[in-house]
Structure formats: C-alpha cells, structure tokens
Amino acid sequence: MSNNTPFAPWNDEAAVPLIQFDGVSKKYGDFLAIDNIDLKIYPREFFALLGPSGCGKTTLMRMLAGFEEASAGKITIDNKDMAGIPPNKRAVNMMFQSYALFPHLNVVDNLAFGLKRSRMAKSEIDGRVEEMLRLVQLQKFAKRKPHQLSGGQRQRVALARALAKAPKLLLLDEPLGALDKKLREETQFELMDIQEKTGTTFVIVTHDQEEAMTVASRIAVMDHGKLVQIDTPDRVYENPNSIYVAGFIGDVNIIEGRVSHLAGEEAQLCWAEGTSDIRGMAGPKIQKGEEAAFAVRPEKVALSVQEPIERNNRVAGRVEDIAYLGNMSTYYVRLENGNLIKSQVANDRRISRRSVTWNDQVWLSWSDTAGIVLPSGGNPS
Amino acid sequence: MRKTSWFNVVSLTTGFAFLYIPIIILVIFSFNKSKLVTVWAGFSTKWYGELLSNEAFLDAAWVTLRVGLWSSTIATVLGTMAALVMVRGGRFFGRTLFTGMIYAPLVMPEVITGLSLLLLFIAIGLDRGATTIVLAHATFSMCYVSVVVSSRLSTFDQSLEEAALDLGCTAFDAFKSVTLPIIAPAVASGWLLAFTLSLDDLVIASFTAGPSSTTLPIKIYSSVRLGVSPEINALSSIIIGLVTIGVLTASIASKRAIRRQQIEERRAIG
C-alpha cells in the first residue's frame, strides 16, 4: 500500500463489494450444508473461509466457482447475479486442492489451456504464459510434464494456471495442504506477495487456522453451514464472539461461571466459592446474572511463585504437567476447585535454570483486559 | 521363491496340454502334403498357396475385416458414452437398472441376442447384409467396451474436468481435450476387444448375415460341414497367428500405457 491508511474496505460504508451473498442456503436432500449466509467480500481482499471439515466452507467456494447452485438466496459477483451461469462463463478461477494439473500436457500447455479458450491472439498467449512462468519462477521447467515436478513446483503451476486468465476472483481450495510444514510457510508468504502484485481478490478455504491467520485480511469462521464470525485475524483471536471461535483459533482456557457485574466493556465472572470474581472484557450477548464463560489465551496467563498482589485476577494452583516445546513451555496448573488452566511461558532461560517444576504450588495471574467473557454454550473443539 | 512341487508341474502341463494340443495339431496338419486331413504325408505349404487363390475365402475375409472395423468403432463410441453416464451421471432415477441393463448382454446367450436382432431387422424391413452384421456386432460388443472404459473412469480424478470447465471449456470441450486424452488407452483397448469379438463371432453373424455377405467364421463353419479340408487348416493357422500377435501386442501396449498414465496422474495429483 502506498498510503498509510490501512486496507479495510469492510469498514467503509461507500465501498462496493465484489462478492455478495444474500441469504444463501444450500441443501443436499435433507442436509443443510449452507444455512442462510450473508457475506460481503471486497476487491483486493485476501479472504479466508476457516472451519472444520464438513462445515460448508468448500460448498461455499464451489458456489462461487459455479460448480454448485444455491438452493435459496442470491450470489452476486461484480454486481451480476450468478444464478444459472456455468463455471466457464465466470470471471472466476479456482486452484484445486489436488492441483488438477492436466497430466498429458506440459507446464506451458497447462498454463495456456485457459488462455486458448479465450479470444486471445497466439502471440499474446505466449507472452502471458511467459509472464506467469516468471511470476512463479518456473521458467526452467516450462517443458516438463506435471509428474516431473516436485510438490511445491506443481503447486506453483496450479496457482499460475488459475491466475493466467487474470480473473477478478481467485478461489484457493486448501492450496497448501499437500506441502510439508516448512514449504507451506514459505509458500504462504509467496501467496501474499503474488496476491498483492496481481491485485486479485483471493478467497481461500482452509482448516488450518495458522495459515488463515498468516495470509488473510479477514477470516470467516464457519460451523455447521453458518458463519460464526467474520473479522480480521487479530480480532478473531483477541475478540472471539463465541467459545467456538475462541477454541477453534488457537489455544484457550475456559472458565465457566455467572456474570456478576457488567458495565460497558468490563465484565466480572463469579466462578468458584471463596474466590474473587474474574475481571475481563465484556463479550457480545452476555447479561448480568446469566451463565457465561471466561476465555483467556495461555500466553496471557503469567506464572509466578510469589503471589502477584498487584493483579486482580490471580489464582493459586499446583503444577500438574509441563509440556516443553523448545521455545516455550506450557504449564498445566490444577486449581483448587478442579479447573485445569494452561499457562504458556517463553523459555528465556536454559531448561536447567527453570525454577518451577512438577507439583510446585504456583500462582497464575492475568490482567483485567487479557480475557473475554463470552456467552456459554458451544464447546471449543 | 517356492519350490516347484511335482504336483504343480503336472497340473500345469495337463492344463496347457488340454488347452493347446488341439490347436497345435491343427497347425501341424495345415502343413500336410496329403489331401486327407488325418494322414501325414510330408511337409508342404501348398494349402497356403491355394488359399490365397480362393476367391470365396478372400471375400469372406474382407467382409469380416470391414464388419470388424465398423462395428468396433460404433461400439467404442456408444460404449464410452454409456460408461461416462454410468460413472459420471450421478444419481438419477433408474440408474441401477440402467447399469444392469448395460451389463446384461455380457451374460445373454448369443443365440437369443442373434435371434432377437434377426426379428428386429425383419420387422423394420432392413435387408440382411454387411450392415446388419455391423449393427448386431456393435450392439453386443458395446457392453464390453463400456466395462473397460468405466473401470478406467472410476479412478479418474474428476477435479481435472472441473478444472477444464473452470478455465473456460464447455462440457464437450473438457471431455475432448482433457478426459479423452487421459482415458485414451482404455478406449483403445476397448476398441481392440470389440474388434476381436467381431472377428470371432459365428452365432450372431449367422443370424444377421445375408446371402451376399458371409463372414470368415460363417464360411469356415459351412465348409467344415462338407468335410474338413487342409485349406481350412491353413486358414485357421493364419487366424491363430494373427490373433496371437494382435492380443499380445494389444495387452502389452495397453497395460504399459495405462500404467504410465496412472503413474503420471498420481504424481500430478501428488
């Protein structure tokens, strides 16, 4: 971005969405795969559909590509109603999870496949293919067949082929699922880079929350055919609107109780006999006196041997287990009322100098704004 | 490796003897000098020479070849289309019935198939000749093609076709430029199978052939009824030779092609 205003068309009333879902549902027989979805996706967005398998995210994407028709509601792309428009008549391209490279064609012919079916002159096609090869750095492999390429190279061919026709919208179905972890991380940045260079709107389907967090401008968390939350990665992480979202994105501690105080953004939760109430941010749809759950990320829970009297939120417990992850350790602390709370501590010292070990009595504490009080119900998965 | 027991050796020898002794005897007697089929009088190739000057046999051979080419081509087109519907058509009303009906001619007695086709041709007033044999052969060999092609299609990654549609192909274009090149080896072996079936067929051909169009199997069968001549032995030996070469090449080529294609596809999918 050349200017300093952050890219956030979703906050701009005047922004025109590229894609709009209006009350879209999809039924397979009696099964409701997509349940009355309203969604706007803006030009140049990198939009992630995130959810467990079977949540409807792939169906939603296939409706954009034209492989599935909505049972109810309206989908518009670029202000055009997409009902009845077949995949080959849409300015939308898709990168398939299996890559779906044509095994009988070499890289160049794979890339030119879509271009040959548009009204483009032969010389223009060659130029465009060349440009695409450069974009994904595969010039040296132009004449190879798909089976002569590595997984990462095939992934790049698939991406280039989908981008070759310069679609308004690129759909990516679990694009990095087949790559190993290290390559996946590198490719995530490549994807973002290419998205920025080409200015194409990307919609990615993934079940990998880290991937979604890394690449996306906004994330839609789905469950059972419904959109549970649509927000920027940091807001989805810091301000989940339900226990489901809190549990799906990252790790979380959940403490159940009853709302004892609610004022503006502050909320307090009464949760166990003989303890002071937990203070946290007020989540949506909670009411004083109602049952609720407090959610706090393990890395926001501090561990100490001395009682941290300067903090309002502090509880005592006994270290039950320690998971050493190299860069950090997770301490599983059992509270007196039986709750198990995870605290994640960066290992800034060598392991032999660690002061806390199994069965030690410790204090856990967190700031007043570290956690959020959410309506109860919906289990974290 | 397991030790070869005498039992295995004996069963193998008996089995192969059972299968091939009659054929070997036929081939040997085709080189017999004597006109008497069962009496060996020395080596000669004269019957092969006489065969080549026998107009009736050459005509029959020509008819057989033409019928085989036409019927197997028609059967391949229809059989591939049927396979596509069976594997890709998704669920539609009567799908199971339809699938069963495509496979049924495989087990239908040839006499019944032949008779029913004969009745049909008479009913619609189609004069019996090469055309009717072509139609009849296409009818019964089509189901063999569809079995071969549908087994290939069932391992075909459907996202390849979706990718073609997504990149701007019409459904037919996607089939022509993506599906067909990939399943081509299976289609080719289906065609060869249909061609071989047509060359071999006696029963259905004799129901549907007219006086002007006699296929080689019909010709051989009718000559044998008048007595086995060494000429027939020579002709049969040639056919055995051709069929052996054809079947071996076809099966080796198609196996290789299919294996290579599957490896390519698997790798392409990763």
Side-chain angles (χ1 to χ4, degrees):
Chain A
M1 294 288 136
S2 51
N3 51 15
N4 284 325
T5 36
F7 175 73
W10 48 88
N11 289 331
D12 182 359
E13 286 289 321
V16 181
L18 177 69
I19 304 166
Q20 197 159 353
F21 284 79
D22 277 320
V24 173
S25 295
K26 175 73 187 175
K27 268 186 174 177
Y28 295 105
D30 289 339
F31 177 67
L32 195 58
I34 298 290
D35 189 0
N36 193 19
I37 276 182
D38 294 309
L39 174 65
K40 285 176 184 163
I41 299 173
Y42 295 88
R44 304 180 76 92
E45 258 204 89
F46 202 138
F47 194 89
L49 292 166
L50 180 66
S53 56
C55 70
K57 57 190 194 297
T58 304
T59 309
L60 205 62
M61 164 172 281
R62 289 174 63 84
M63 287 203 278
L64 284 173
F67 296 124
E68 309 279 352
E69 281 284 325
S71 315
K74 192 167 114 176
I75 302 171
T76 54
I77 299 178
D78 214 17
N79 279 324
K80 277 200 287 280
D81 189 349
M82 284 292 125
I85 297 182
N88 54 332
K89 297 276 192 319
R90 296 185 179 205
V92 174
N93 283 123
M94 181 159 170
M95 183 185 154
F96 290 80
Q97 186 175 10
S98 66
Y99 305 150
L101 299 179
F102 305 128
H104 58 298
L105 301 178
N106 66 23
V107 172
V108 167
D109 291 333
N110 262 287
L111 295 186
F113 190 90
L115 299 172
K116 282 178 184 161
R117 274 139 191 96
S118 61
R119 284 180 202 159
M120 206 184 240
K122 176 85 179 67
S123 56
E124 263 182 276
I125 292 178
D126 293 345
R128 182 72 181 155
V129 167
E130 192 57 38
E131 194 182 327
M132 284 297 121
L133 284 172
R134 236 187 352 259
L135 182 71
V136 295
Q137 294 158 30
L138 283 172
Q139 295 101 315
K140 274 190 254 167
F141 303 95
K143 292 291 165 202
R144 293 224 187 151
K145 290 269 189 84
H147 72 270
Q148 295 163 319
L149 299 173
S150 72
Q153 289 163 344
R154 283 202 290 268
Q155 189 268 348
R156 301 221 292 275
V157 177
L159 178 65
R161 188 181 67 179
L163 281 169
K165 291 183 87 173
K168 285 191 183 123
L169 170 64
L170 183 74
L171 306 170
L172 303 107
D173 186 6
E174 305 266 2
L176 311 177
L179 305 180
D180 58 64
K181 194 169 166 15
K182 203 162 186 294
L183 192 57
R184 197 159 62 218
E185 281 167 6
E186 286 171 23
T187 316
Q188 282 169 0
F189 288 102
E190 246 178 66
L191 266 186
M192 292 161 72
D193 196 38
I194 287 173
Q195 195 258 348
E196 214 157 283
K197 262 191 215 155
T198 58
T200 315
T201 309
F202 278 28
V203 172
I204 184 175
V205 154
T206 181
H207 66 270
D208 181 347
Q209 47 105 0
E210 252 176 67
E211 189 173 300
M213 301 278 287
T214 311
V215 299
S217 58
R218 278 195 304 161
I219 296 176
V221 184
M222 291 188 71
D223 185 35
H224 291 99
K226 282 198 168 75
L227 291 171
V228 186
Q229 185 169 7
I230 310 166
D231 241 322
T232 53
D234 60 306
R235 289 205 41 96
V236 169
Y237 189 76
E238 303 282 354
N239 295 298
N241 67 1
S242 62
I243 299 178
Y244 172 78
V245 174
F248 192 76
I249 313 267
D251 210 353
V252 72
N253 291 303
I254 301 286
I255 298 171
E256 299 199 332
R258 194 174 292 280
V259 181
S260 60
H261 171 81
L262 183 61
E265 291 215 312
E266 289 170 34
Q268 288 185 21
L269 192 81
C270 167
W271 61 289
E273 290 284 325
T275 57
S276 53
D277 294 353
I278 297 172
R279 294 165 189 234
M281 307 288 286
K285 291 186 222 157
I286 55 162
Q287 285 187 348
K288 194 176 170 189
E290 298 267 299
E291 288 201 352
F294 176 75
V296 64
R297 304 286 180 192
E299 75 275 9
K300 293 195 169 64
V301 177
L303 184 100
S304 56
V305 181
Q306 302 295 322
E307 183 174 358
I309 43 170
E310 73 283 4
R311 279 186 156 171
N312 292 316
N313 296 318
R314 54 179 194 269
V315 288
R318 191 175 51 78
V319 176
E320 191 164 287
D321 222 333
I322 305 171
Y324 174 68
L325 304 169
N327 59 339
M328 56 175 77
S329 293
T330 305
Y331 292 81
Y332 292 78
V333 177
R334 181 72 69 185
L335 306 187
E336 274 147 19
N337 73 335
N339 271 7
L340 191 67
I341 300 290
K342 284 170 274 188
S343 162
Q344 220 162 46
V345 180
N347 288 327
D348 49 7
R349 293 173 180 215
R350 292 190 70 84
I351 193 162
S352 56
R353 303 233 184 149
R354 224 164 41 183
S355 52
V356 176
T357 184
W358 284 270
N359 282 327
D360 281 2
Q361 286 294 325
V362 292
W363 285 90
L364 298 177
S365 63
W366 55 90
S367 72
D368 290 359
T369 55
I372 184 164
V373 180
L374 297 168
S376 61
N379 288 322
S381 48
Chain B
M1 237 179 89
R2 261 171 45 182
K3 231 180 95 188
T4 42
S5 74
W6 65 268
F7 177 76
N8 285 349
V9 174
V10 169
S11 29
L12 196 70
T13 331
T14 338
F16 274 97
F18 204 76
L19 282 173
Y20 288 104
I21 282 179
I23 292 174
I24 291 167
I25 288 177
L26 181 137
V27 175
I28 291 171
F29 275 103
S30 73
F31 294 104
N32 193 358
K33 203 183 253 170
S34 161
K35 198 169 172 54
L36 294 166
V37 176
T38 46
V39 182
W40 183 255
F43 182 83
S44 156
T45 53
K46 69 170 179 184
W47 300 114
Y48 286 87
E50 265 182 43
L51 187 67
L52 287 176
S53 54
N54 187 330
E55 284 283 321
F57 275 127
L58 289 179
D59 279 352
W62 180 231
V63 170
T64 311
L65 205 64
R66 258 173 34 221
V67 166
L69 288 172
W70 276 107
S71 70
S72 56
T73 308
I74 296 171
T76 305
V77 173
L78 293 177
T80 307
M81 278 157 62
L84 277 171
V85 175
M86 284 194 298
V87 180
R88 291 297 166 72
R91 287 186 198 176
F92 55 87
F93 181 74
R95 184 177 183 277
T96 319
L97 183 70
F98 181 65
T99 310
M101 277 167 69
I102 284 194
Y103 290 140
L106 288 174
V107 290
M108 189 78 76
E110 287 190 315
V111 182
I112 294 174
T113 314
L115 185 63
S116 57
L117 283 163
L118 173 67
L119 293 176
L120 173 75
F121 293 144
I122 292 171
I124 60 172
L126 197 60
D127 277 341
R128 278 175 292 149
T131 320
T132 47
I133 312 179
V134 167
L135 291 176
H137 280 181
T139 308
F140 92 92
S141 55
M142 177 200 132
C143 52
Y144 290 87
V145 178
S146 76
V147 170
V148 174
V149 175
S150 60
S151 79
R152 174 69 187 87
L153 275 177
S154 59
T155 61
F156 183 89
D157 179 15
Q158 189 144 14
S159 63
L160 288 171
E161 248 173 46
E162 284 183 346
L165 293 175
D166 187 64
L167 291 167
C169 285
T170 58
F172 179 71
D173 191 12
F175 173 76
K176 191 192 71 188
S177 43
V178 172
T179 314
L180 195 57
I182 296 172
I183 64 165
V187 175
S189 63
W191 185 90
L192 272 172
L193 184 62
F195 184 66
T196 322
L197 287 169
S198 167
L199 292 190
D200 286 353
D201 172 67
L202 168 67
V203 180
I204 291 172
S206 45
F207 273 102
T208 51
S212 60
S213 57
T214 308
T215 63
L216 211 48
I218 299 178
K219 185 74 198 160
I220 294 172
Y221 186 66
S222 51
S223 337
V224 169
R225 287 211 301 205
L226 305 172
V228 182
S229 78
E231 230 174 335
I232 297 289
N233 284 351
L235 179 61
S236 310
S237 303
I238 292 173
I239 293 173
I240 289 167
L242 288 178
V243 168
T244 313
I245 293 167
V247 167
L248 282 181
T249 356
S251 76
I252 291 170
S254 80
K255 238 178 220 161
R256 248 186 221 165
I258 286 173
R259 197 182 308 139
R260 196 186 59 228
Q261 285 251 350
Q262 272 171 350
I263 291 171
E264 275 184 22
E265 200 175 312
R266 208 174 303 135
R267 285 191 191 152
I269 286 156

